[in-house]
Amino acid sequence: MANEIIFKEELAPEVKLIKVRAPLIARKAKSGQFIILRVDEDGERIPLTLIDWNPKDGTITLVFKEVGASTKDLGKLGVGDAIHDLVGPLGKPSEIPLHSKVCVIGRGVAIAAAYERAKKMKEAGNNVTAIISARTAKQLIFKEQLKGVCDKLYMVTDDGSEGAKGYANDFLISLLESGEKFDLVYAVGAATLMRSISETTKPYKIKTIVSLNSLMVDGTGMCGCCRVTVGGKPMFACVDGPDFDAHLVDFEEFRARIHMYDEEERIALKIAGECGCRC
Amino acid sequence: MLEFRLKQVRMPELPVEERLKTFNEVALGYSEEQALAEASRCLQCTRPLCVEMCPLHVDIPEFIKLVRLGNYGEAAEKIRQKNCMPSVCGRVCPQEVLCAMGCKNTIGDPINIGALERFVADWELETGAAVPEIRPSTGKSVAVVGSGPAGLSVATELAKRGHHVVVFEALHEPGGVLIYGIPEFRLPKKVVKKEIDYVKKLGVEIKTNVIVGKTLTVDDLFDEGFNAVFLGTGAGLPKLLGIPGENLCGVYSLNEFLLRINLMKAGLFPHKSKTPIKVRGRVAILGARGMDAARSALRLGAEEACIFYQRKVVGRTDDIRRGLEEGVKLHSSTKPVRLIGDEKRWVKLVELVKLKPGQPDRTGKPKLIPEPGSEFLYSAETVIIATEHVPNTIAATNTTRNIKIAEKNKTIIVNQETLEAAIGIFAGGDVVSGAASVIKAIEAGKRAAQSINAHISKH
């Protein structure tokens, strides 16, 4: 069955991994690309990064956090269920450097995407350092897999329950201040994380790439919902990205635009009876 | 009696106050009695100009004659011989500049050909369209990229000739611009679905969620054994204005606004759709293509919807009239200068400048130039940019086949006669012409089908 979920695992509270049968996408996928799916007939089109793909068995792996009504709906599907619509691969593939010293940074659910990039960069023969961060130890996903693909792996938690206490950006600052050198920093996560990393690396003139999780509708360049100013020019994250030179991204604008529908998101959650409050 | 024959039978419409409460179709279509009355006005010219003016050369007097005889099924078949989507064209064709412009009923109103076409097509779809005879399988197969009017037209013609056709659609629903672009109140989606069901009955396979150029390439299609490929990918990419403030929150491209409403049914948020849309306060629509967006915005509760444009609003005469009845405001000879936002980066003001006639351009028409000091502000919480659309060439560019794209307007360059873009690859519709009309795309599809048929019969 097309789009069938053949494996499901809870990686952390509200963070789920699914393996889906999607042979055409598995055959074409490249590092950094994403898919768009709809859970049901009335569903929103939601973009998710491709975490893994296997052209041989025709499967793709996705990781998502149940934050909104649509991702909660997705989380309700189990093994044997089919995703209503699935399309991809979308976006430009990441540029994988050669013979470089790379630092990959991810936070929370985006550690999954960071792992995907780290793996591909290691396979290409780069020296890979990863800094993964989360609020607390339970949310540090893909730890074991990352150990297998990184020359160095640092873990940072807000509460200090695992690894260093504090934030990924502060950790990067201390690494750079202690003389550590990188040819490339790759950051994926919330807008604030990506912006702070970008500000850190700028004075060091380290090439820094961020993967922007803009809001999207079609994901093929038709609507421009995902537009973001990069180097003073309007870019579409869906077809010109999602990877962009962090030092050129207008993060203020990016952050404002991804929060455009926060109010509606709360309404949708309330209707689904999952707003978290006791209303 | 004479007055009756001079005047067109008016098509019933939803009362204005009811229109704004829903997205239901505004034009309700002729009753049988009305259709017979209108059909009786046709002069049955021996050299009908209406047929000449129709891009598909539908035999209009003949189908009207069949209507008069009460033979609606045969009338529909007569149209279908030339036009694969009569219920769509009856609704969205700008008849006033096509067939009806050629109507020789010069002493009275032209015949409302579109309304009659719609009447017989709806009658046919309601009673179940007869599927035409399909020739025995030729064993040849054709891949059609895009399920809009051009793609559906080429698919219909090739399937009738016995070729196996697979249509690939990038979105989750087939129909292209008929689904994502044209609002429900002008073209109900159930009408489009019925026309697509008809195409499927001819044996055409439609695969949604496949982006040719991404999921599969044109090369893959040939590798899979298709004998020819047709690119009908349309002109669905937005072109922004390039003015400051365009990325503020609350600013939509026309495509995003209509995609959310038409394809994703954002008007039904939050109960029957999970896709939201923001329409608040006053809505400024910047550009001549904004009538559908303005009418949609009013239905979503906009306090005011004002279209700012230069010379002429794009649309059918009837639809522009209906928009004005619904309260859409027009502001001609203006040009947006910049968008101004609040501290949270939400748009709040549009700065515009008035235009005045300047020196004549090459066509002899005076060029509109900004009038110094005429800048003014319009306060708006939602802004829609409704200017041009650019062809979608993902399929044409992500291939090793040598498909040429015009640098200036990004259209696919084809042999004008055969519509061949490269060996075995044909293209037609908006991706070749730039944004045009549904009926012209259907015409291109028909022409391409002839060339494809000739091409695959040889190879």
Side-chain angles (χ1 to χ4, degrees), chain A residues 16-18 20 35 37 48-51 60-64:
Chain A
K16 286 172 181 165
L17 175 147
I18 51 173
V20 185
I35 55 92
L37 62 79
L48 290 175
T49 305
L50 281 156
I51 303 304
I60 59 169
T61 301
L62 307 169
V63 173
F64 58 96

Side-chain angles (χ1 to χ4, degrees), chain B residues 203-229:
Chain B
V204 172
E205 219 182 301
I206 300 181
K207 291 191 177 173
T208 52
N209 295 318
V210 179
I211 305 170
V212 175
K214 289 273 182 192
T215 318
L216 290 170
T217 62
V218 169
D219 303 63
D220 292 333
L221 296 174
F222 282 109
D223 289 347
E224 279 184 21
F226 286 103
N227 301 94
V229 173

Side-chain angles (χ1 to χ4, degrees), chain A residues 28 38 42 44-45 73 85 88-91 221-223 225 227 229 253 257 260-261 263-264 271, chain B residues 172 180 209 211 214-215 220 237-238 246-248 251-253 255-256 260 269-272 274 278:
Chain A
K28 281 283 188 312
R38 285 204 320 152
D42 308 325
E44 233 180 324
R45 290 173 69 95
D73 285 344
D85 295 291
L90 298 161
M222 279 178 70
C223 76
C225 173
R227 65 192 187 275
T229 303
E253 176 189 282
R257 287 189 66 86
M260 232 180 105
Y261 295 102
E263 197 185 322
E264 285 75 12
I271 290 210
Chain B
H172 56 258
Y180 75 74
N209 295 318
I211 305 170
K214 289 273 182 192
T215 318
D220 292 333
L237 304 189
E246 246 175 334
N247 289 2
L248 287 166
V251 182
Y252 290 95
S253 74
N255 255 7
E256 182 186 353
R260 283 183 184 269
F269 179 88
H271 293 283
K272 291 220 163 140
K274 303 262 165 62
K278 289 258 195 209

Side-chain angles (χ1 to χ4, degrees), chain B residues 112-135:
Chain B
N112 195 339
I113 301 166
L116 290 172
E117 179 183 30
R118 171 184 163 161
F119 171 77
V120 293
D122 284 359
W123 186 90
E124 183 206 31
L125 290 177
E126 217 43 62
T127 51
V131 177
E133 220 174 293
I134 301 163
R135 296 212 196 129

